[in-house]
Amino acid sequence: MDKKSVERIASLSRLHASEKEIEYYSETLTMILKHFEELGAVSTDGVEPLVTPTQVIPHADHDEVIVVTTPEEIIRNAPEKSGNLFKVPPVVGG
């Protein structure tokens, strides 16, 4: 990747890079892109796409419906309450 491209990327990212950093990133990004070219050259004919490299068996629990009908039952496990309301710390002001 040429230095001009690195400078453009840095500018778009609103990053300030020294000449030494631009040279370093130019060389590093060139090496990284070469690795991607090597990966692109690998033949994947006959290889099925994978979601994950291991065998994962999906597991899902069945939902259990619990009918709650009164406010007292709803707030029974609340750490703090005021009447039939949840009591929470103030979120505005102090």
PDB file of all heavy atoms in Angstrom, residues 27-43:
ATOM      1  N   GLU A  27       4.271  -0.122   4.943  1.00  0.00           N
ATOM      2  CA  GLU A  27       4.936  -1.427   4.849  1.00  0.00           C
ATOM      3  C   GLU A  27       4.099  -2.527   5.500  1.00  0.00           C
ATOM      4  O   GLU A  27       3.941  -3.619   4.946  1.00  0.00           O
ATOM      5  CB  GLU A  27       6.317  -1.358   5.495  1.00  0.00           C
ATOM      6  CG  GLU A  27       7.286  -0.459   4.763  1.00  0.00           C
ATOM      7  CD  GLU A  27       8.569  -0.223   5.534  1.00  0.00           C
ATOM      8  OE1 GLU A  27       8.752  -0.818   6.620  1.00  0.00           O
ATOM      9  OE2 GLU A  27       9.392   0.584   5.060  1.00  0.00           O
ATOM     10  N   THR A  28       3.559  -2.244   6.681  1.00  0.00           N
ATOM     11  CA  THR A  28       2.789  -3.246   7.418  1.00  0.00           C
ATOM     12  C   THR A  28       1.510  -3.619   6.673  1.00  0.00           C
ATOM     13  O   THR A  28       1.184  -4.807   6.528  1.00  0.00           O
ATOM     14  CB  THR A  28       2.449  -2.720   8.828  1.00  0.00           C
ATOM     15  OG1 THR A  28       3.656  -2.376   9.496  1.00  0.00           O
ATOM     16  CG2 THR A  28       1.707  -3.776   9.633  1.00  0.00           C
ATOM     17  N   LEU A  29       0.785  -2.615   6.182  1.00  0.00           N
ATOM     18  CA  LEU A  29      -0.450  -2.906   5.458  1.00  0.00           C
ATOM     19  C   LEU A  29      -0.169  -3.643   4.154  1.00  0.00           C
ATOM     20  O   LEU A  29      -0.960  -4.500   3.728  1.00  0.00           O
ATOM     21  CB  LEU A  29      -1.234  -1.625   5.209  1.00  0.00           C
ATOM     22  CG  LEU A  29      -1.862  -1.003   6.457  1.00  0.00           C
ATOM     23  CD1 LEU A  29      -2.416   0.388   6.139  1.00  0.00           C
ATOM     24  CD2 LEU A  29      -2.952  -1.895   7.015  1.00  0.00           C
ATOM     25  N   THR A  30       0.952  -3.357   3.520  1.00  0.00           N
ATOM     26  CA  THR A  30       1.335  -4.088   2.311  1.00  0.00           C
ATOM     27  C   THR A  30       1.536  -5.562   2.627  1.00  0.00           C
ATOM     28  O   THR A  30       1.066  -6.437   1.891  1.00  0.00           O
ATOM     29  CB  THR A  30       2.616  -3.480   1.701  1.00  0.00           C
ATOM     30  OG1 THR A  30       2.351  -2.131   1.338  1.00  0.00           O
ATOM     31  CG2 THR A  30       3.057  -4.255   0.470  1.00  0.00           C
ATOM     32  N   MET A  31       2.220  -5.858   3.739  1.00  0.00           N
ATOM     33  CA  MET A  31       2.428  -7.254   4.142  1.00  0.00           C
ATOM     34  C   MET A  31       1.096  -7.934   4.448  1.00  0.00           C
ATOM     35  O   MET A  31       0.859  -9.082   4.058  1.00  0.00           O
ATOM     36  CB  MET A  31       3.353  -7.333   5.358  1.00  0.00           C
ATOM     37  CG  MET A  31       4.789  -6.992   5.047  1.00  0.00           C
ATOM     38  SD  MET A  31       5.975  -7.301   6.395  1.00  0.00           S
ATOM     39  CE  MET A  31       5.161  -6.637   7.825  1.00  0.00           C
ATOM     40  N   ILE A  32       0.208  -7.233   5.148  1.00  0.00           N
ATOM     41  CA  ILE A  32      -1.097  -7.807   5.497  1.00  0.00           C
ATOM     42  C   ILE A  32      -1.891  -8.117   4.242  1.00  0.00           C
ATOM     43  O   ILE A  32      -2.478  -9.199   4.100  1.00  0.00           O
ATOM     44  CB  ILE A  32      -1.867  -6.855   6.433  1.00  0.00           C
ATOM     45  CG1 ILE A  32      -1.189  -6.790   7.798  1.00  0.00           C
ATOM     46  CG2 ILE A  32      -3.325  -7.292   6.574  1.00  0.00           C
ATOM     47  CD1 ILE A  32      -1.717  -5.705   8.718  1.00  0.00           C
ATOM     48  N   LEU A  33      -1.906  -7.189   3.284  1.00  0.00           N
ATOM     49  CA  LEU A  33      -2.649  -7.410   2.049  1.00  0.00           C
ATOM     50  C   LEU A  33      -2.060  -8.572   1.242  1.00  0.00           C
ATOM     51  O   LEU A  33      -2.800  -9.312   0.596  1.00  0.00           O
ATOM     52  CB  LEU A  33      -2.694  -6.127   1.221  1.00  0.00           C
ATOM     53  CG  LEU A  33      -3.530  -5.000   1.828  1.00  0.00           C
ATOM     54  CD1 LEU A  33      -3.374  -3.722   1.013  1.00  0.00           C
ATOM     55  CD2 LEU A  33      -4.995  -5.400   1.935  1.00  0.00           C
ATOM     56  N   LYS A  34      -0.737  -8.763   1.310  1.00  0.00           N
ATOM     57  CA  LYS A  34      -0.114  -9.907   0.637  1.00  0.00           C
ATOM     58  C   LYS A  34      -0.590 -11.215   1.260  1.00  0.00           C
ATOM     59  O   LYS A  34      -0.805 -12.208   0.559  1.00  0.00           O
ATOM     60  CB  LYS A  34       1.404  -9.803   0.682  1.00  0.00           C
ATOM     61  CG  LYS A  34       1.963  -8.805  -0.303  1.00  0.00           C
ATOM     62  CD  LYS A  34       3.477  -8.765  -0.260  1.00  0.00           C
ATOM     63  CE  LYS A  34       3.995  -7.700  -1.232  1.00  0.00           C
ATOM     64  NZ  LYS A  34       5.449  -7.576  -1.205  1.00  0.00           N
ATOM     65  N   HIS A  35      -0.758 -11.236   2.580  1.00  0.00           N
ATOM     66  CA  HIS A  35      -1.271 -12.436   3.248  1.00  0.00           C
ATOM     67  C   HIS A  35      -2.686 -12.742   2.769  1.00  0.00           C
ATOM     68  O   HIS A  35      -3.045 -13.908   2.538  1.00  0.00           O
ATOM     69  CB  HIS A  35      -1.251 -12.278   4.771  1.00  0.00           C
ATOM     70  CG  HIS A  35       0.116 -12.355   5.370  1.00  0.00           C
ATOM     71  ND1 HIS A  35       0.907 -13.480   5.317  1.00  0.00           N
ATOM     72  CD2 HIS A  35       0.848 -11.431   6.038  1.00  0.00           C
ATOM     73  CE1 HIS A  35       2.048 -13.260   5.924  1.00  0.00           C
ATOM     74  NE2 HIS A  35       2.041 -12.016   6.381  1.00  0.00           N
ATOM     75  N   PHE A  36      -3.514 -11.714   2.595  1.00  0.00           N
ATOM     76  CA  PHE A  36      -4.870 -11.933   2.089  1.00  0.00           C
ATOM     77  C   PHE A  36      -4.838 -12.459   0.659  1.00  0.00           C
ATOM     78  O   PHE A  36      -5.657 -13.293   0.284  1.00  0.00           O
ATOM     79  CB  PHE A  36      -5.704 -10.653   2.180  1.00  0.00           C
ATOM     80  CG  PHE A  36      -6.273 -10.411   3.546  1.00  0.00           C
ATOM     81  CD1 PHE A  36      -5.740  -9.436   4.374  1.00  0.00           C
ATOM     82  CD2 PHE A  36      -7.340 -11.164   4.011  1.00  0.00           C
ATOM     83  CE1 PHE A  36      -6.263  -9.221   5.633  1.00  0.00           C
ATOM     84  CE2 PHE A  36      -7.874 -10.958   5.274  1.00  0.00           C
ATOM     85  CZ  PHE A  36      -7.334  -9.979   6.089  1.00  0.00           C
ATOM     86  N   GLU A  37      -3.899 -11.978  -0.149  1.00  0.00           N
ATOM     87  CA  GLU A  37      -3.762 -12.488  -1.513  1.00  0.00           C
ATOM     88  C   GLU A  37      -3.395 -13.968  -1.489  1.00  0.00           C
ATOM     89  O   GLU A  37      -3.913 -14.757  -2.282  1.00  0.00           O
ATOM     90  CB  GLU A  37      -2.705 -11.686  -2.271  1.00  0.00           C
ATOM     91  CG  GLU A  37      -3.147 -10.291  -2.637  1.00  0.00           C
ATOM     92  CD  GLU A  37      -2.031  -9.471  -3.277  1.00  0.00           C
ATOM     93  OE1 GLU A  37      -0.939 -10.027  -3.561  1.00  0.00           O
ATOM     94  OE2 GLU A  37      -2.250  -8.258  -3.475  1.00  0.00           O
ATOM     95  N   GLU A  38      -2.500 -14.359  -0.566  1.00  0.00           N
ATOM     96  CA  GLU A  38      -2.133 -15.768  -0.433  1.00  0.00           C
ATOM     97  C   GLU A  38      -3.342 -16.607  -0.039  1.00  0.00           C
ATOM     98  O   GLU A  38      -3.553 -17.705  -0.560  1.00  0.00           O
ATOM     99  CB  GLU A  38      -1.024 -15.941   0.601  1.00  0.00           C
ATOM    100  CG  GLU A  38       0.321 -15.428   0.169  1.00  0.00           C
ATOM    101  CD  GLU A  38       1.374 -15.572   1.261  1.00  0.00           C
ATOM    102  OE1 GLU A  38       1.224 -16.452   2.137  1.00  0.00           O
ATOM    103  OE2 GLU A  38       2.341 -14.790   1.237  1.00  0.00           O
ATOM    104  N   LEU A  39      -4.139 -16.099   0.911  1.00  0.00           N
ATOM    105  CA  LEU A  39      -5.344 -16.828   1.319  1.00  0.00           C
ATOM    106  C   LEU A  39      -6.330 -16.945   0.163  1.00  0.00           C
ATOM    107  O   LEU A  39      -6.986 -17.974  -0.008  1.00  0.00           O
ATOM    108  CB  LEU A  39      -6.016 -16.124   2.504  1.00  0.00           C
ATOM    109  CG  LEU A  39      -5.299 -16.212   3.837  1.00  0.00           C
ATOM    110  CD1 LEU A  39      -5.994 -15.332   4.875  1.00  0.00           C
ATOM    111  CD2 LEU A  39      -5.238 -17.651   4.322  1.00  0.00           C
ATOM    112  N   GLY A  40      -6.435 -15.890  -0.650  1.00  0.00           N
ATOM    113  CA  GLY A  40      -7.338 -15.920  -1.785  1.00  0.00           C
ATOM    114  C   GLY A  40      -6.917 -16.918  -2.846  1.00  0.00           C
ATOM    115  O   GLY A  40      -7.741 -17.393  -3.631  1.00  0.00           O
ATOM    116  N   ALA A  41      -5.627 -17.268  -2.877  1.00  0.00           N
ATOM    117  CA  ALA A  41      -5.121 -18.205  -3.872  1.00  0.00           C
ATOM    118  C   ALA A  41      -5.354 -19.665  -3.468  1.00  0.00           C
ATOM    119  O   ALA A  41      -5.205 -20.569  -4.291  1.00  0.00           O
ATOM    120  CB  ALA A  41      -3.631 -17.962  -4.094  1.00  0.00           C
ATOM    121  N   VAL A  42      -5.727 -19.909  -2.237  1.00  0.00           N
ATOM    122  CA  VAL A  42      -5.949 -21.272  -1.762  1.00  0.00           C
ATOM    123  C   VAL A  42      -7.231 -21.823  -2.390  1.00  0.00           C
ATOM    124  O   VAL A  42      -8.271 -21.188  -2.374  1.00  0.00           O
ATOM    125  CB  VAL A  42      -6.053 -21.312  -0.218  1.00  0.00           C
ATOM    126  CG1 VAL A  42      -6.435 -22.696   0.272  1.00  0.00           C
ATOM    127  CG2 VAL A  42      -4.752 -20.851   0.407  1.00  0.00           C
ATOM    128  N   SER A  43      -7.132 -23.029  -2.923  1.00  0.00           N
ATOM    129  CA  SER A  43      -8.298 -23.664  -3.539  1.00  0.00           C
ATOM    130  C   SER A  43      -9.243 -24.184  -2.460  1.00  0.00           C
ATOM    131  O   SER A  43      -8.838 -24.935  -1.571  1.00  0.00           O
ATOM    132  CB  SER A  43      -7.860 -24.828  -4.426  1.00  0.00           C
ATOM    133  OG  SER A  43      -8.990 -25.515  -4.902  1.00  0.00           O
TER     134      SER A  43
END
